[in-house]
Amino acid sequence: MHRSRTWFLTTSLVVVVGALTLAPALMLIVGSFSEGLGAFGTFTLEKYRRVYTDPRLYDVVWNTVIFTVGSALIATAMAFGLAYLNFRTDVPFRGVLHLMPIVSMMIPHLAFATAWALLLNPNNGIINVFLRDTLGLGAINIYTLGGMVFVESLLDLPVAYLVIAAAMSSFDTALEEASWISGGSTRRTMRKIVLPMLLPAILAAVTLAIIRSLSAFAVPSVLGMPGRVEVLTTYVYRLVTTGFVPDYGRAAAVGVSVLATAVVLVFIYRYYTRASERFVTIAGRGYRPRRVSLGPWRWPLGALTLLVGFLLIVLPVLALGYVSLMPYVIAPGREALSMVTLNHWKTVLGDPLLARALRNSVFLAVSGATLGILLSTLASYIIVRVRNTGSAILETLVFTSFAFPGLIIGIGFMWAFVRTSLYATIWALLVGYIATYLPLGIRPLTSTFIQIGKDLEDASYISGAGFWRTFRRVVAPLALPGMVSGWTLMAVMFVRELDLSVILARPGTEVLSVLMYRAVHDALWGRVAALGMIMITISTTLTLISNWLAKRLSARWAATA
């Protein structure tokens, strides 16, 4: 390998990724001590004093603890049960569990929370109307802390499932079989063998779900703010959006504490992830997991699997599609069918602001994901192939940025951009998106490079090819599946991105999620539903196109190899 080229590339990547990662975090810290956006150099502790002497803050912190820990525990418990059913039993409909994490990504969190608000609004929610008018039962109020925990746990479920499923599929069933042969019951085997083996993965899933819940903004804003249940993200948002002059200094003072908590959590997650790898028990010998027969519970548990998929994917999408065709929220029935209208779609599609937001969202998704995946490919290659101090620093920088809550780090970017020409431009959003979601592009590519042997690269170097020629002709084609996965993941995230956008978007740079958020707060539910369906369609289209393109490119490279 050409050491001079890799040294230059490693140094360049450390500088670029360091600037993207550390600059907003440092500006957030500096901003928390500054008097205002334009008052750098005049430092004060007044912001911290005002924030931490606010008696409401402690209720907000308590709500945040219940919200994050509660949703993380519920999501992890459901994920463990579903992963066990999928990998260790003969439950039917296991294909649903494989598709669930991928398909659920197409639904923006704001649309998902809105769908549940439409279903369980205590006054006219579709399910509540059915419970009250048909079954004579009381209404379920989704605008409570319990409702927020329920919806957020559904959103965290796919992520927790992926973490536990990876560990569940990696350890041999020989230990379980030994327990059964020794007379241990299924319950005792679960308690003495399975749970201890999977404990690091379970703790990693809990930690990851807490990190996601701590940075969550869509669910607290849609369900918490109407019910006057505040968590830290909505508390910070209120500081920068209410009053005659937004108080970015106080918001930064709170944000520093949230950021520090998230960074600690992400390193705990990293510790547990590495610990779980030590429990991998698949060796080079033959491996064929034995599935537990569920007997009479097989079909009821299969139905439970379908129910989770229905609650996570089908019901929210059906609710959005249905409400987008109704003049107002009304329970399904003969009367509702006679009132079907396309007015919401005509209003949304005829809005010039929507056309601009659509262009901005598609531009950010395509260009941002393309730039992000190019940076991710080079960074992943250096992290995996070049083992030196520079690559270790690069890996730490990337992993640290994984902890950044979008809304909080958005304030850091605000401080960083305010004195530059990037402020209030679409480029500010582009930089913020790439910096915040870079770990999502690097993760699949790191796994890809680990699986690719170095023989072909060494053969290319021996044949006289330089570093860049080898990278373009050998490495990039082999890494194409990982690049497509990373590109798709980043593009989908950019389409639905809300947390960073509500802070950085300004007139002329609005994106679809910001328009949708404004419609939520104006209670324009039909318009919200139509916008949600448009965003789901864009995400699905981008995913299908990227997969089609990947197959075509793979076929072309295979033909020319």
Side-chain angles (χ1 to χ4, degrees):
M1 188 178 295
H2 294 220
R3 292 183 179 276
S4 59
R5 293 286 178 85
T6 57
W7 178 87
F8 177 76
L9 181 60
T10 304
T11 305
S12 302
L13 287 171
V14 168
V15 171
V16 172
V17 175
L20 290 172
T21 304
L22 297 181
L26 291 176
M27 292 308 297
L28 185 72
I29 296 172
V30 172
S32 69
F33 292 103
S34 300
E35 291 188 348
L37 276 176
F40 294 123
T42 306
F43 297 113
T44 176
L45 293 174
E46 177 63 16
K47 304 299 181 184
Y48 282 91
R49 187 193 67 77
R50 289 178 60 193
V51 165
Y52 291 102
T53 57
D54 183 355
R56 293 177 303 164
L57 179 64
Y58 300 99
D59 290 334
V60 171
V61 171
W62 180 241
N63 288 340
T64 305
V65 170
I66 296 175
F67 174 68
T68 54
V69 176
S71 55
L73 291 178
I74 293 173
T76 304
M78 290 193 295
F80 177 81
L82 293 174
Y84 187 81
L85 287 174
N86 187 21
F87 289 97
R88 286 291 182 266
T89 72
D90 60 349
V91 70
F93 312 122
R94 289 194 294 274
V96 174
L97 294 172
H98 289 297
L99 292 175
M100 187 177 65
I102 301 170
V103 177
S104 63
M105 280 197 317
M106 309 299 172
I107 307 175
H109 287 189
L110 187 60
F112 189 84
T114 302
W116 280 101
L118 295 171
L119 292 166
L120 291 175
N121 184 306
N123 296 321
N124 60 352
I126 296 171
I127 293 178
N128 276 330
V129 169
F130 174 78
L131 292 176
R132 184 182 60 218
D133 296 348
T134 306
L135 303 179
L137 301 175
I140 301 172
N141 187 1
I142 197 68
Y143 297 122
T144 61
L145 190 54
M148 293 166 58
V149 169
F150 166 70
V151 176
E152 185 64 31
S153 65
L154 288 177
L155 287 174
D156 292 340
L157 172 60
V159 176
Y161 174 81
L162 288 175
V163 174
I164 296 176
M168 187 81 78
S169 62
S170 301
F171 80 86
D172 201 337
T173 56
L175 293 174
E176 292 177 81
E177 293 171 1
S179 174
W180 293 328
I181 293 172
S182 302
S185 64
T186 302
R187 181 177 300 178
R188 182 178 174 83
T189 302
M190 174 69 74
R191 186 163 52 86
K192 293 290 186 179
I193 304 294
V194 178
L195 285 177
M197 292 286 287
L198 292 176
L199 186 59
I202 294 171
L203 292 175
V206 171
T207 309
L208 184 58
I210 289 177
I211 294 170
R212 288 172 53 90
S213 302
L214 185 63
S215 62
F217 177 66
V219 172
S221 63
V222 174
L223 303 180
M225 293 174 79
R228 299 183 181 279
V229 181
E230 272 193 319
V231 295
L232 282 171
T233 50
T234 49
Y235 181 82
V236 170
Y237 179 74
R238 190 168 52 78
L239 287 176
V240 299
T241 56
T242 57
F244 184 71
V245 179
D247 197 340
Y248 290 102
R250 286 175 65 197
V254 180
V256 168
S257 300
V258 177
L259 188 62
T261 305
V263 170
V264 171
L265 286 170
V266 84
F267 278 93
I268 292 174
Y269 166 73
R270 190 180 192 185
Y271 169 79
Y272 284 129
T273 304
R274 287 182 172 177
S276 66
E277 291 173 356
R278 296 201 298 268
F279 284 79
V280 172
T281 57
I282 292 180
R285 60 187 171 81
Y287 168 74
R288 185 176 183 181
R290 172 189 164 190
R291 295 189 180 276
V292 177
S293 175
L294 295 173
W297 289 99
R298 183 168 181 261
W299 287 103
L301 289 173
L304 179 65
T305 301
L306 290 182
L307 177 63
V308 173
F310 180 75
L311 293 177
L312 190 62
I313 299 168
V314 180
L315 186 59
V317 174
L318 283 179
L320 291 173
Y322 170 75
V323 172
S324 72
L325 298 175
M326 292 292 111
Y328 51 86
V329 180
I330 180 175
R334 185 174 300 174
E335 181 184 359
L337 286 177
S338 66
M339 299 170 68
V340 170
T341 175
L342 293 176
N343 285 344
H344 297 307
W345 286 91
K346 291 177 181 175
T347 302
V348 166
L349 296 176
D351 185 357
L353 193 59
L354 174 94
R356 188 166 63 194
L358 182 62
R359 284 197 301 271
N360 289 339
S361 289
V362 173
F363 169 76
L364 288 169
V366 175
S367 61
T370 303
L371 291 173
I373 207 62
L374 289 175
L375 183 59
S376 299
T377 304
L378 294 173
S380 302
Y381 181 80
I382 293 298
I383 289 172
V384 175
R385 288 286 193 264
V386 183
R387 291 293 182 181
N388 58 21
T389 305
S391 65
I393 295 173
L394 184 61
E395 185 178 12
T396 303
L397 287 172
V398 170
F399 203 79
T400 303
S401 67
F402 182 64
F404 291 171
L407 186 80
I408 304 299
I409 209 64
I411 296 173
F413 276 116
M414 174 79 75
W415 289 92
F417 292 147
V418 68
R419 290 193 172 187
T420 70
S421 58
L422 287 175
Y423 182 70
T425 66
I426 195 71
W427 305 108
L429 287 167
L430 184 70
V431 173
Y433 280 16
I434 293 174
T436 306
Y437 293 95
L438 189 61
L440 297 181
I442 287 181
R443 186 71 178 176
L445 278 163
T446 302
S447 302
T448 300
F449 282 125
I450 289 174
Q451 295 173 350
I452 297 175
K454 293 179 62 179
D455 297 349
L456 292 175
E457 292 175 57
D458 293 338
S460 177
Y461 290 129
I462 293 171
S463 302
F467 173 77
W468 288 111
R469 183 177 176 82
T470 300
F471 193 88
R472 181 168 56 86
R473 298 298 298 270
V474 177
V475 177
L478 292 173
L480 186 62
M483 293 172 69
V484 172
S485 298
W487 188 95
T488 305
L489 189 58
M490 294 182 87
V492 169
M493 290 295 172
F494 290 178
V495 168
R496 76 184 199 188
E497 212 291 328
L498 172 68
D499 304 0
L500 201 69
S501 306
V502 294
I503 298 297
L504 295 180
R506 290 292 180 270
T509 63
E510 300 94 341
V511 292
L512 287 174
S513 60
V514 172
L515 286 191
M516 189 175 173
Y517 184 71
R518 292 174 183 171
V520 167
H521 278 265
D522 291 336
L524 302 172
W525 301 118
R527 191 175 301 184
V528 171
L531 282 168
M533 294 301 293
I534 289 172
M535 293 171 72
I536 292 171
T537 303
I538 292 173
S539 298
T540 306
T541 304
L542 286 174
T543 304
L544 294 175
I545 290 175
S546 65
N547 282 297
W548 174 80
L549 192 60
K551 290 180 180 177
R552 291 289 302 268
L553 290 175
S554 296
R556 180 176 296 180
W557 266 315
T560 56

